[in-house]
Amino acid sequence: MVAGRQNFRNYYEILEISSQAAPEEIKRSFRRLARQYHPDMNPGDKIAEDKFKDINEAYEILSDEGRRNQYDQFKRALESMNKRKPKRSGNRDPEVQDFDRFVEDLLNRPDTPRRDRIDPRSAEAYNSPRRTKTERPPEPKAKKSSSGPRSYRLERKRDVEARLSLPLEKAFNGGRERIRLEDGRSLEVDMPAGMRDGQKIRLRNQGINGGDLYLKITVEPHAHFEVRGRDVFCPVPITPTEAVLGGPVEVPTLDGLVKMNLPAGVKMGQRLRLAKKGFPDETEERGDQVVELRIEIPTDLTTEEKELYEKLRAIESFAPRKALVK
């Protein structure tokens, strides 16, 4: 039997999907099977371990458009050859390359401008680099055996990236967080304080086969706070009486409620600062919290409050429209 036929693995059957499966279907099936056969879920089970490696290899090929196209070309060429001539033992068929070598080279090719068509039965099919759309980082070559046919094994390290969405308070305080990865693993991670939106956190040896895991942080929008650089902006409503007379008011911060003294006669939209109540930077130096005052007008007055406002109107000397009177 020729090497190409002997080593060939049907990735569609391994992932239990059809050859016309859409990318989302491929991903769903991979996640399901990866959880089922993950070594952590099947300790000491060599069959499950080998199955898990085949699942990862299949997904690595079929989840990438460029690699999937080349695999399909190779598969069609092999099927066509099986129809044309009988299987035979002995010397290697020159028209069909070793499948393990084809996969190994396909997974380790650098990016180059791709060509429109390549004959999968020719040496060009596995020696010429092809451009793919994968965003995976460069990977080291798989080890070659010193004797016998070359075999491809998913034993090499690979870095992976995952997204983690956090509320603002968690990003500010840090602490222990449990995360679940697409391959079914669950990890407890000590998150540092002061994490920013878009920041990446590196977890050593938590990737594929000992590679690194990079967590990309997304900080969820907050109902009251907005982080701008090191400063935290927060609108704070106050009453007309507080605006006129000033005095202490309670203000929410990322550290909890604090008392802030309002000066008398503050204006709508005026901004005041609470020193060192902002977000920390790389040096752990905190910015300020910027409080933007919003004067709220009461609409549901008690009888007593309404009488007091009537008395105030009768005696007040403040005339804001005086300049408009000619």
Side-chain angles (χ1 to χ4, degrees), residues 58-69:
Y59 182 70
E60 203 166 356
I61 296 294
L62 298 185
S63 64
D64 183 278
E65 182 182 353
R67 291 172 176 171
R68 182 180 181 180
N69 286 340

Side-chain angles (χ1 to χ4, degrees), residues 133-184:
K133 293 184 179 179
T134 182
E135 296 179 357
R136 300 181 181 92
E139 301 166 349
K141 291 274 188 176
K143 293 182 179 179
K144 302 176 183 178
S145 60
S146 57
S147 61
R150 299 172 65 176
S151 62
Y152 177 77
R153 296 176 60 83
L154 288 177
E155 297 292 345
R156 62 200 190 285
K157 296 181 179 181
R158 180 158 64 85
D159 295 344
V160 294
E161 182 178 294
R163 295 182 180 273
L164 178 61
S165 183
L166 296 173
L168 180 60
E169 291 88 350
K170 187 71 175 181
F172 172 74
N173 292 307
R176 204 156 186 81
E177 184 80 7
R178 177 172 289 277
I179 61 175
R180 182 169 293 278
L181 305 177
E182 288 188 359
D183 60 9

Side-chain angles (χ1 to χ4, degrees), residues 256-272:
L257 287 174
V258 300
K259 282 190 176 180
M260 180 179 69
N261 283 315
L262 289 181
V266 294
K267 297 178 176 60
M268 180 71 170
Q270 185 173 338
R271 292 179 176 180
L272 304 176

Side-chain angles (χ1 to χ4, degrees), residues 14 29 40 50 66 69 87 91 110 119 124 135 152 163 169 190 197 199 218 246 257 269 279 303 308:
I14 290 173
S29 184
D40 290 349
D50 291 340
N69 286 340
K87 300 177 181 179
N91 294 333
D119 184 354
E124 186 182 14
E135 296 179 357
Y152 177 77
R163 295 182 180 273
E169 291 88 350
D190 286 320
D197 190 66
Q199 178 180 347
T218 298
L257 287 174
F279 223 73
T303 302
L308 289 173

